[in-house]
Amino acid sequence: ALTDVYGLIYGGIDSLGVTERAKDLTTMMSTVVATMANETACPMVAQDFARSPGQRRLFPLVELGSLPTTHGAVIRENIQYLHERLLGETLAANDPEIEATFNLFSETWQARKDAGKGPDVSSDSEFCIQEGPVNQVTTDPNQTLRSWAVVINYLLRDYRFIHE
């Protein structure tokens, strides 16, 4: 479906009824981006944190126990790493975009703590783990996994990621 349906929806051609590529972003295209970010962010994070730090592709500098209240510097450092890895941009530690992304992480973490969210990564109300991949994190007592998932979702929707 990805190449047949999404390719056409995202501006591709089928050489029959659609013979010109879309040059402007349509509502359907932005919906595809949002859907893919929503569906992949949390499982990507859960699977990456299950790896050893040296094997991680997204989070080599932090652990699920790295909290914004006690590990702000290392979280910002990993955010810089994510901006470089996913968006291809090298930003200084004090760049406003790094601060905005850190605030997104921190505010999500605080909201989850304030809401008394449970430690299960997948529940009836919050599904995170995809079937198939092995060695995924299944508990998140610190509420950082989903906070990182929100950051990844945010970055996957960025123009620089979509149109690299």
Side-chain angles (χ1 to χ4, degrees):
L2 186 59
T3 56
D4 294 340
V5 178
Y6 282 119
L8 187 60
I9 291 172
Y10 203 72
I13 61 172
D14 65 4
S15 298
L16 299 171
V18 181
T19 57
E20 285 188 41
R21 295 193 186 281
K23 294 182 175 132
D24 297 319
L25 187 66
T26 66
T27 304
M28 185 64 80
M29 289 177 188
S30 64
T31 301
V32 169
V33 171
T35 300
M36 296 306 277
N38 288 341
E39 290 178 1
T40 60
C42 198
M44 283 171 52
V45 172
Q47 194 166 10
D48 203 56
F49 270 113
R51 296 180 177 112
S52 66
Q55 297 297 314
R56 292 185 195 154
R57 296 182 184 126
L58 300 172
F59 306 103
L61 307 173
V62 292
E63 296 296 335
L64 287 175
S66 301
L67 307 178
T69 53
T70 57
H71 300 89
V74 73
I75 291 171
R76 280 183 173 83
E77 199 175 336
N78 205 99
I79 288 170
Q80 283 178 279
Y81 174 83
L82 290 171
H83 275 267
E84 173 90 29
R85 178 132 175 114
L86 298 177
L87 305 182
E89 58 185 5
T90 303
L91 302 174
N94 62 349
D95 188 280
E97 184 58 35
I98 298 299
E99 188 62 26
T101 308
F102 176 81
N103 288 340
L104 177 63
F105 174 85
S106 183
E107 290 169 12
T108 301
W109 174 79
Q110 190 62 57
R112 293 190 62 78
K113 296 296 278 183
D114 292 347
K117 295 292 187 177
D120 291 337
V121 171
S122 284
S123 65
D124 291 338
S125 64
E126 295 184 302
F127 184 75
C128 182
I129 297 177
Q130 291 179 330
E131 291 185 30
V134 294
N135 299 328
Q136 295 184 79
V137 173
T138 57
T139 60
D140 180 28
N142 296 310
Q143 301 303 319
T144 53
L145 187 140
R146 284 214 179 73
S147 301
W148 280 117
V150 168
V151 167
I152 293 297
N153 191 316
Y154 166 69
L155 295 173
L156 292 179
R157 293 171 185 237
D158 190 282
Y159 179 85
R160 288 158 293 203
F161 180 79
I162 299 164
H163 299 281
E164 60 178 52

